[in-house]
Amino acid sequence: MEARIGFYDRARQIFDLTLAQQALEWDQEVMMPAQGADQRAHQLAALATVVHEKLTDPAYGGLIDAFEASRDLDERARADVREARRARERAVRVPGRLVAERTEACARAQAAWLEARPRNDFAAFRPHLERVMDLTRELAEAQGMPSPYDALLDEYEPGMTEARLRPLFDDLRRRLVPLLERIRGASRRPDPAPLARCFPVQDQEVFCRRLVTDMGFDLDAGRFDVSAHPFTTGTHRDVRLTTRYREDWLPCSVFGTIHEGGHGLYEQGLDARFFRDPSGGACSAGLHESQSRLWENLVGRSLPFWSHYYPVLQATFPGVLDEVPLASFHGAVNVVEPSLIRVEADETTYNLHILLRFELESDLIARRITVKDLPELWRIRMEQQLGIAPPDDRSGVMQDIHWAVGLVGYFPTYALGNLYAAQFMERMREELRDLDERLSRGELGVVRTWLRERIHVHGRVWPAQELCERATGAPLSVEPLMRHLEAKAHTFYGI
Amino acid sequence: MEARIGFYDRARQIFDLTLAQQALEWDQEVMMPAQGADQRAHQLAALATVVHEKLTDPAYGGLIDAFEASRDLDERARADVREARRARERAVRVPGRLVAERTEACARAQAAWLEARPRNDFAAFRPHLERVMDLTRELAEAQGMPSPYDALLDEYEPGMTEARLRPLFDDLRRRLVPLLERIRGASRRPDPAPLARCFPVQDQEVFCRRLVTDMGFDLDAGRFDVSAHPFTTGTHRDVRLTTRYREDWLPCSVFGTIHEGGHGLYEQGLDARFFRDPSGGACSAGLHESQSRLWENLVGRSLPFWSHYYPVLQATFPGVLDEVPLASFHGAVNVVEPSLIRVEADETTYNLHILLRFELESDLIARRITVKDLPELWRIRMEQQLGIAPPDDRSGVMQDIHWAVGLVGYFPTYALGNLYAAQFMERMREELRDLDERLSRGELGVVRTWLRERIHVHGRVWPAQELCERATGAPLSVEPLMRHLEAKAHTFYGI
């Protein structure tokens, strides 16, 4: 009993401190005055140091050992021990000197990226990126895994390895590239023009609030704000979503909101009894992304969904979409078109953007290529796989902030999210034969309930891949996503 | 050099963690969804524990000693050592068990207060208050000062003692009670009715934003929001003010905003080089209150101020105050009228509310009275000193949250603030002969600059009373405040 209390007290204290970090980061993006950045950086650094001290404290190691040695641990308790030990060992293996150096290098690289990107000046950004990549490789090597890139993947998608990922992604590429070629050669195609009319921001906000509320997101246990880059943070009874509005491009807020709403439902859906425990949080970055993508693409771009919401949307913007029939609108939100910028990509081409980044970053970490090679490789592979090449580096290798801030091994989780999402949706559809009928009546709760019971409440008791198998009865595969994308290509492009 | 770095690194880390606490508390009041309270309590408790660990860490004690022993410390460095040691020793003297017990007792008492106050149920609140007072007395006794109440005072007003405070407050009472009696018997009196018209909230907000901006508060280094109980938090380049609006009572937002603006200017006016150091922050709670009260009452209720702003106010609310002349409006914001609720009290009677609380809490801590005696003593002394008695405990002893949350020894700083403010203003007026003329042209910067140079930039290099002497050439006295209040009584009540 004493071992139990000692272990959970310490583990939950660490959790509470990381939630405090998250709250300060949310504030920084959404509320903080511009000039507060320097002070906030000090606060976050102080908190990061404290969390690292708490994780690496030998006494905490002793508490984990003592609890593990107690009798009759149930599955939850064993998972708590596993996750606590995992987080602690990852921290212990990294020398404090390296953490500090890398934090500083990332801060500098981020500032350099912010300056260099609009000026299209990769040469100015390059030394900073080199430094981040070198320190990230060193960090990865310190984990002592068979491959350094696996150590990075493992941070965001525990248990995932390059050896498992590569065949999945190879499959995906082999299927996506020809599909995209056929789509590009199709004789009929939907018209996105209706989405680019004038949609007053305040009316968009009303519609988006209705969407997250209907999805089942509890605004008494969360917030819904605006930020430059939409994100979701917090957990359980304090979950915060952001979105952004473009008056001349409706999908920006609508699909952004549904996406973040999916993340938010995951956090609100965790088991209330365990959310502060090491195995009580969301399972992995890929699983998290599966929730947002399932809602955004598999629900939010479906005909049943818009059968219910299109009349609501039309009424929200009187006169704007009156003469556009439902079928045309549904086509408009399902256009497939190779483009340069990942965050604006459609459901089909999005995965090719991720594959490109995965190849480049795994090659960089394995020293098969260097930072210097990136711009040229980016152009060549974009041309090969998407059929278009960026005219400059700002819409090429410099478009994402991830590498500048040291997020290496993270991009794959976006594609994994798409794969998980499609597999979950296929299974849900098998179990709920009247799913489309209910969606077309606006009953979004049916999706939320299924996801809550199959995914959310289980936290990270099992690794993501095992959770997927338990929820769907099959290991993760590209088939459900490809079936989904091919069916859409048939519907909208007649192929 | 090494001793210097070691000392400041640790001291600033502790400071940064307390700023993080403040940011989370701001969020809790202003942004957090209602259901997030429980999670936030855990986060704040975890941070409080960490700060206590850092303060009491023997290694920190060693760093303070080592830095103190280095040669050629200047005045700032010596003040940093003094303040660091003071904070550390206060923490070391309190057993961890007591901190935890008291934190929990205060949380329970606050909840009990929130429930009991609207029901006017002092009996239900009493055991909780007794527990808080017992633990607070124990906490005070642990400091080992000659009097336990001094130990509480010292937390908020370093160096202040009951022995110094009592003669000041006795003076104040001896002068205020007869002044109030004369005011109550006066044959003429200003009419507050113009302040109770309909003032649309959005226009109040425009006016209030203009006021804080004109005062010199930098909104790029701060925020201005709404909360149930107005407050100011943060420091330097991230200072956040709140206010509240009542459509039917203009002074609520206008004087609330000027008040919080005064606090905000203090924080923004600290010396940028030192604000993270132990002696770089605001000097004391009383000094802080002097800044808010000086702006609110000595500037914000003056004729020169309204000579400039009254036409702006009239234009902000077209038609509402058209026929009310400046002199009447100026009288309306200077009405003196005994009332039951401290936070709604005028400049003159406010101090009597504070004296009452000081007497009761110092008697409680010294065991001269018990919690059981409070309601009756409250009624008797209100009747004696203000001439009115509360009909119930909710507008009597239960009106303030302070005691429930363990703030004992804090109330006196409100009255000290008024005394300091009047003394500063008298000195400013002596030095700046054209002050009124400049205020009547709306040049508020002249006040800000004087306060910044005389008060703000010095942080807590000297104790508050020494800072006051340096700024005004005289020790703190009740004379300037009484001269100010008596002059106003003459102007508005003809006495």
Side-chain angles (χ1 to χ4, degrees):
Chain A
M1 198 58 199
E2 208 175 302
R4 168 175 287 270
I5 292 170
F7 168 74
Y8 282 107
D9 274 2
R10 185 64 72 98
R12 288 174 189 155
Q13 187 196 32
I14 295 170
F15 172 81
D16 294 333
L17 293 170
T18 61
L19 264 198
Q21 287 178 295
Q22 281 186 34
L24 294 178
E25 283 159 356
W26 175 86
D27 181 84
Q28 179 167 330
E29 294 302 315
V30 185
M31 293 294 161
M32 191 184 76
Q35 294 186 24
D38 200 54
Q39 283 163 245
R40 182 53 50 86
H42 284 302
Q43 294 159 29
L44 289 171
L47 262 172
T49 302
V50 167
V51 168
H52 191 259
E53 284 168 6
K54 295 278 173 198
L55 274 174
T56 56
D57 181 358
Y60 183 42
L63 289 167
I64 299 173
D65 292 342
F67 182 51
E68 187 171 36
S70 37
R71 276 180 305 173
D72 303 327
L73 294 191
D74 63 10
E75 189 173 35
R76 270 277 171 193
R78 288 197 307 274
D80 287 332
V81 166
R82 183 194 70 223
E83 291 299 317
R85 191 183 299 290
R86 181 178 166 276
R88 179 173 144 72
E89 288 182 354
R90 283 193 69 91
V92 167
R93 288 192 205 107
V94 182
R97 184 262 326 154
L98 179 56
V99 173
E101 271 180 34
R102 186 163 173 274
T103 303
E104 196 186 328
C106 290
R108 284 180 203 282
Q110 181 176 0
W113 175 80
L114 283 168
E115 248 189 53
R117 190 191 173 201
R119 296 208 327 267
N120 196 38
D121 186 356
F122 184 75
F125 177 49
R126 199 181 111 189
H128 295 282
L129 184 56
E130 283 168 348
R131 174 109 177 111
V132 168
M133 283 293 172
D134 287 345
L135 292 167
T136 300
R137 192 183 299 111
E138 198 182 336
L139 184 95
E141 286 165 351
Q143 294 299 332
M145 292 196 172
S147 122
Y149 189 72
D150 284 356
L152 300 173
L153 273 179
D154 188 70
E155 166 94 32
Y156 311 110
E157 197 69 14
M160 183 52 77
T161 62
E162 197 172 343
R164 292 181 183 199
L165 203 54
R166 205 167 276 282
L168 271 179
F169 280 7
D170 284 347
D171 268 7
L172 201 53
R173 184 183 307 99
R174 263 196 299 274
R175 306 276 294 266
L176 278 175
V177 172
L179 174 65
L180 185 58
E181 266 167 34
R182 285 160 59 217
I183 289 173
R184 300 187 78 183
S187 51
R188 75 177 161 87
R189 47 201 320 106
D191 176 10
L195 306 175
R197 297 180 178 179
C198 177
F199 300 93
V201 166
Q202 67 191 53
D203 300 326
Q204 288 190 47
E205 206 213 318
V206 169
F207 185 71
C208 288
R209 267 185 192 273
R210 165 153 182 188
L211 284 181
V212 287
T213 309
D214 286 0
M215 285 168 70
F217 184 78
D218 182 353
L219 281 167
D220 291 331
R223 291 185 54 95
F224 181 60
D225 297 279
V226 173
S227 71
H229 303 279
F231 69 106
T232 297
T233 192
T235 193
H236 189 45
R237 303 281 83 201
D238 185 354
V239 181
R240 305 184 183 192
L241 320 178
T242 70
T243 192
R244 60 180 164 179
Y245 299 98
R246 279 182 51 187
E247 196 175 64
D248 59 353
W249 187 239
L250 185 65
C252 181
S253 70
V254 168
F255 293 104
T257 298
I258 301 175
H259 180 100
E260 301 305 333
H263 283 303
L265 287 178
Y266 192 0
E267 293 293 338
Q268 288 191 341
L270 296 169
D271 193 315
R273 294 168 299 174
F274 307 121
F275 79 98
R276 290 171 69 220
D277 297 347
S279 77
C283 189
S284 74
L287 246 295
H288 229 305
E289 194 70 7
S290 77
Q291 302 304 295
S292 55
R293 300 296 271 183
L294 187 149
W295 280 101
E296 177 190 354
N297 291 331
L298 295 139
V299 175
R301 296 184 200 271
S302 72
L303 188 59
F305 178 86
W306 286 111
S307 304
H308 179 78
Y309 281 104
Y310 190 52
V312 180
L313 185 76
Q314 287 177 309
T316 305
F317 302 99
V320 179
L321 293 166
D322 287 2
E323 92 299 354
V324 180
L326 171 61
S328 303
F329 182 83
H330 183 222
V333 301
N334 281 287
V335 166
V336 177
E337 186 71 53
S339 60
L340 296 173
I341 304 297
R342 174 184 63 85
V343 296
E344 294 164 7
D346 60 75
E347 222 181 333
T348 301
T349 60
Y350 186 90
N351 299 291
L352 292 169
H353 286 271
I354 298 305
L355 297 185
L356 169 70
R357 285 154 181 77
F358 162 66
E359 289 160 16
L360 293 176
E361 68 181 19
S362 63
D363 285 350
L364 273 171
I365 293 298
R367 291 197 173 84
R368 290 186 290 265
I369 62 172
T370 68
V371 168
K372 187 169 165 250
D373 306 324
L374 286 177
E376 187 54 21
L377 286 172
W378 193 286
R379 273 189 290 275
I380 292 169
R381 298 194 190 173
M382 279 292 289
E383 181 67 51
Q384 283 171 351
Q385 295 177 17
L386 278 108
I388 53 170
D392 52 30
D393 293 330
R394 103 185 94 192
S395 52
V397 67
M398 282 204 291
Q399 69 180 264
D400 292 310
I401 197 173
H402 297 57
W403 290 341
V405 298
L407 279 173
V408 184
Y410 193 91
F411 280 123
T413 69
Y414 292 139
L416 286 172
N418 290 330
L419 297 177
Y420 283 129
Q423 192 156 329
F424 294 155
M425 195 64 180
E426 234 178 41
R427 179 68 184 193
M428 196 191 310
R429 201 175 289 286
E430 281 164 29
E431 292 182 17
L432 306 170
R433 289 289 166 186
D434 59 348
L435 179 62
D436 282 347
E437 206 179 303
R438 294 175 70 177
L439 287 179
S440 65
R441 290 199 301 264
E443 297 175 19
L444 303 182
V446 62
V447 175
R448 182 175 60 99
T449 302
W450 193 92
L451 291 172
R452 184 159 206 277
E453 289 171 1
R454 297 308 175 88
I455 309 292
H456 304 174
V457 297
H458 302 300
R460 52 203 309 163
V461 170
W462 312 298
Q465 294 170 78
E466 186 179 340
L467 179 55
C468 171
E469 278 205 53
R470 286 172 179 261
T472 67
L476 184 62
S477 118
V478 303
E479 295 306 324
L481 178 64
M482 289 313 307
R483 279 193 283 273
H484 165 72
L485 295 178
E486 281 159 5
K488 280 207 170 171
H490 178 73
T491 305
F492 299 108
Y493 291 85
I495 55 168
Chain B
M1 197 58 198
E2 207 175 303
R4 166 175 289 269
I5 292 170
F7 167 74
Y8 282 107
D9 274 1
R10 185 64 73 98
R12 288 173 190 157
Q13 186 195 32
I14 295 170
F15 172 80
D16 293 333
L17 292 170
T18 61
L19 264 198
Q21 289 177 294
Q22 281 187 33
L24 293 177
E25 284 160 356
W26 176 86
D27 181 84
Q28 179 168 332
E29 295 301 316
V30 185
M31 294 292 161
M32 191 184 76
Q35 294 187 23
D38 200 54
Q39 283 164 246
R40 182 53 51 84
H42 285 302
Q43 295 159 29
L44 289 170
L47 263 173
T49 302
V50 166
V51 167
H52 191 258
E53 284 168 6
K54 295 277 173 198
L55 274 174
T56 56
D57 181 358
Y60 183 43
L63 289 167
I64 299 173
D65 292 342
F67 182 52
E68 187 172 37
S70 39
R71 275 180 304 172
D72 304 325
L73 295 190
D74 63 10
E75 189 173 34
R76 270 276 171 193
R78 288 197 307 274
D80 287 332
V81 166
R82 184 193 70 224
E83 291 299 316
R85 190 184 300 289
R86 180 177 166 275
R88 178 174 145 72
E89 289 183 352
R90 283 192 69 91
V92 167
R93 287 190 205 107
V94 183
R97 184 262 324 153
L98 179 56
V99 173
E101 271 179 35
R102 187 163 172 273
T103 303
E104 196 188 328
C106 290
R108 284 180 203 282
Q110 182 176 358
W113 176 79
L114 283 169
E115 247 190 55
R117 191 192 171 199
R119 297 207 328 265
N120 195 38
D121 186 357
F122 184 75
F125 177 49
R126 199 182 111 191
H128 295 281
L129 185 56
E130 282 168 348
R131 174 109 177 112
V132 168
M133 282 294 172
D134 287 345
L135 292 167
T136 300
R137 191 183 300 110
E138 198 182 338
L139 183 95
E141 285 165 350
Q143 294 298 333
M145 291 196 175
S147 122
Y149 189 72
D150 283 356
L152 299 173
L153 273 178
D154 188 69
E155 167 94 32
Y156 311 110
E157 197 69 14
M160 182 52 75
T161 62
E162 198 173 342
R164 291 180 185 200
L165 203 54
R166 205 166 278 280
L168 270 179
F169 280 7
D170 285 346
D171 268 8
L172 201 52
R173 183 183 307 100
R174 263 195 300 273
R175 305 276 295 267
L176 278 175
V177 172
L179 174 64
L180 185 58
E181 266 165 34
R182 285 161 59 217
I183 288 173
R184 300 187 78 182
S187 52
R188 75 177 160 89
R189 47 198 320 105
D191 176 10
L195 304 175
R197 296 179 178 179
C198 176
F199 299 93
V201 166
Q202 66 191 51
D203 300 326
Q204 287 190 49
E205 206 213 320
V206 169
F207 184 71
C208 287
R209 266 185 193 273
R210 165 154 183 187
L211 284 182
V212 287
T213 308
D214 286 1
M215 284 168 68
F217 183 77
D218 182 352
L219 280 167
D220 291 331
R223 291 186 54 96
F224 181 60
D225 296 279
V226 173
S227 71
H229 303 279
F231 69 106
T232 297
T233 192
T235 193
H236 189 46
R237 302 283 83 200
D238 185 355
V239 180
R240 305 185 184 192
L241 321 177
T242 71
T243 193
R244 59 180 165 179
Y245 299 97
R246 278 180 52 186
E247 196 176 64
D248 59 352
W249 187 240
L250 184 65
C252 181
S253 69
V254 168
F255 293 103
T257 297
I258 301 174
H259 179 100
E260 301 304 333
H263 282 305
L265 287 179
Y266 192 178
E267 293 293 338
Q268 288 192 340
L270 295 170
D271 193 315
R273 294 168 297 174
F274 307 122
F275 79 99
R276 289 172 69 220
D277 297 346
S279 78
C283 188
S284 74
L287 246 293
H288 229 305
E289 194 70 6
S290 78
Q291 301 304 296
S292 55
R293 301 295 271 183
L294 187 149
W295 280 100
E296 176 190 355
N297 291 330
L298 295 140
V299 175
R301 295 184 200 270
S302 73
L303 188 59
F305 179 85
W306 287 109
S307 304
H308 180 79
Y309 281 105
Y310 190 52
V312 180
L313 185 76
Q314 286 177 310
T316 305
F317 302 98
V320 179
L321 293 166
D322 287 2
E323 92 301 353
V324 180
L326 170 61
S328 304
F329 182 83
H330 184 222
V333 301
N334 281 286
V335 165
V336 176
E337 185 72 51
S339 61
L340 296 172
I341 305 297
R342 173 185 63 86
V343 296
E344 294 164 7
D346 61 74
E347 222 181 333
T348 301
T349 61
Y350 186 91
N351 299 289
L352 291 169
H353 286 270
I354 299 305
L355 297 184
L356 168 71
R357 286 154 180 76
F358 162 67
E359 288 160 16
L360 293 175
E361 68 180 20
S362 62
D363 284 351
L364 274 170
I365 294 298
R367 291 196 171 87
R368 290 187 290 263
I369 63 172
T370 68
V371 168
K372 185 167 167 251
D373 306 324
L374 286 178
E376 187 55 22
L377 287 173
W378 192 287
R379 273 189 290 276
I380 293 169
R381 297 195 192 173
M382 279 293 287
E383 181 68 52
Q384 283 171 350
Q385 294 177 19
L386 278 109
I388 52 170
D392 52 30
D393 293 330
R394 105 187 92 191
S395 52
V397 67
M398 283 203 291
Q399 68 180 264
D400 291 309
I401 197 173
H402 297 57
W403 289 341
V405 298
L407 279 174
V408 184
Y410 193 91
F411 280 123
T413 69
Y414 292 139
L416 286 172
N418 289 329
L419 297 177
Y420 283 128
Q423 192 156 327
F424 294 155
M425 194 64 180
E426 232 177 43
R427 179 68 184 193
M428 197 190 311
R429 201 175 288 287
E430 282 164 28
E431 291 183 17
L432 306 170
R433 288 290 166 186
D434 58 349
L435 180 62
D436 283 347
E437 207 180 301
R438 294 174 70 176
L439 287 179
S440 65
R441 289 199 301 264
E443 297 175 20
L444 304 181
V446 61
V447 176
R448 181 175 61 98
T449 302
W450 193 92
L451 291 172
R452 182 159 207 276
E453 289 170 2
R454 297 309 176 86
I455 310 292
H456 304 174
V457 296
H458 302 300
R460 51 204 309 164
V461 170
W462 312 298
Q465 293 168 80
E466 186 179 340
L467 180 55
C468 172
E469 278 205 51
R470 284 173 180 259
T472 67
L476 184 62
S477 118
V478 303
E479 296 305 326
L481 179 63
M482 290 311 306
R483 279 194 283 272
H484 165 72
L485 295 177
E486 282 159 3
K488 280 207 169 171
H490 178 73
T491 304
F492 298 107
Y493 292 85
I495 56 170

